[in-house]
Every structure is written in C-alpha cells, then in structure tokens.
Amino acid sequence: MRPDPLSEAAARRHELTRSRAVQALRELDRAGTPVTFAGVAQAAGVSRSWLYAQADISSQIRRLRQRTNGAGSAGTIPAGQRPTDASLRARLTTALDRNKQLADENARLRRQLARALGDQRSAGVQSGNDQEGLYSSDKAASVPSATLSTTDSAGHGPI
C-alpha cells in the first residue's frame, strides 16, 4: 500500500520547520542574543505556540534563557564561550593561593623593615626625615615621642 502523499508533505514540512527553529536557536545563542520564545519564533518564522508544543526545543529555550538570566552581565556571552564552574573554581583557587603568597611576603617584609629600623635606632643613626637632628643633637632628645611614626607609608598600623 502506498503512503499518503498528504501525510508525507506534512511530515516534510514539520521537519523543515523543526530544522529552522533549531538553526535559529543555535544562531541566537552563538551571537550572544538573549534566547526567548519570541526571539526564536521570529528568527525561525514559526509561531510561539508551535515552539511551546515541541518539548525538546522548548526545554532547550528554557535552559538557555535561564542561563542567560542567571548570568547577569555575562548573559550576552554565547553558551560555548562561557566559563565552566570547574574553570572558575580553578581561577579562584589560584587567586587565593597568590593572595596568601603576597600576604606572607608582606609580613616578611614588615618584619625585615622593623628589624632594620630597630638596628638603626640601636646604632643611633639619624634617619633622613629627622630634620631637627641635623641642626642640634640635644634638640633630638626633646622631640616628643608622638612625632615618631611606627606606621607604614600608607598610614596603616604598627610595622
């Protein structure tokens, strides 16, 4: 028995429509355009109700729309170019490790500076910033201790 030509034409038209919708969906995502039912329907030349009736296409639109909405400013980045959770975690771990290294180096340099300043005070060497000490050695003893600074150049706590 020969298949119904009307059914064959309907099946071909359905497949062509599906392929247009899938192609439009891919192009919108690749371009970084927000993926919506209205946008896909317009790009593919199909109705929104037809898209809602296609379970696989509808779920893909919802998934891409959700990723776009949840991504904030990264919503315009195509799905294929967005960072994965694993790569973001790796970058965070690297940044935290680097931060710890810098904090350790900062502490080491503060200790080294404190030691050098202590040695300098013990040796009685005048600092280049002590203008009064240049003119009279007995005036240096009269400088109030409040003027001696034990903060770093940014004004942060004791060294």
Side-chain angles (χ1 to χ4, degrees), residues 32-159:
T33 307
V35 177
T36 62
F37 281 94
V40 174
Q42 183 179 9
V46 298
S47 69
R48 285 182 297 157
S49 61
W50 184 86
L51 287 174
Y52 282 110
Q54 308 306 308
D56 58 334
I57 295 174
S58 178
S59 67
Q60 190 168 4
I61 291 171
R62 283 188 182 96
R63 182 181 59 81
L64 289 171
R65 184 174 60 184
Q66 187 176 28
R67 282 182 82 177
T68 301
N69 288 341
S73 64
T76 59
I77 301 171
Q81 296 176 6
R82 292 184 196 128
T84 63
D85 287 344
S87 70
L88 289 174
R89 281 191 193 97
R91 289 177 61 190
L92 178 61
T93 300
T94 302
L96 290 173
D97 289 345
R98 179 67 177 145
N99 193 14
K100 175 143 178 39
Q101 289 173 352
L102 291 172
D104 291 345
E105 181 181 4
N106 194 6
R108 181 184 58 79
L109 290 171
R110 285 179 183 267
R111 284 190 307 272
Q112 187 178 3
L113 178 60
R115 199 173 307 116
L117 288 174
D119 292 347
Q120 186 180 33
R121 283 188 188 140
S122 296
V125 176
Q126 298 288 329
S127 72
N129 293 330
D130 189 4
Q131 296 296 321
E132 292 184 34
L134 293 176
Y135 303 113
S136 167
S137 60
D138 58 342
K139 278 190 176 178
S142 67
V143 176
S145 63
T147 62
L148 297 176
S149 175
T150 58
T151 60
D152 63 7
S153 62
H156 300 300
I159 299 176

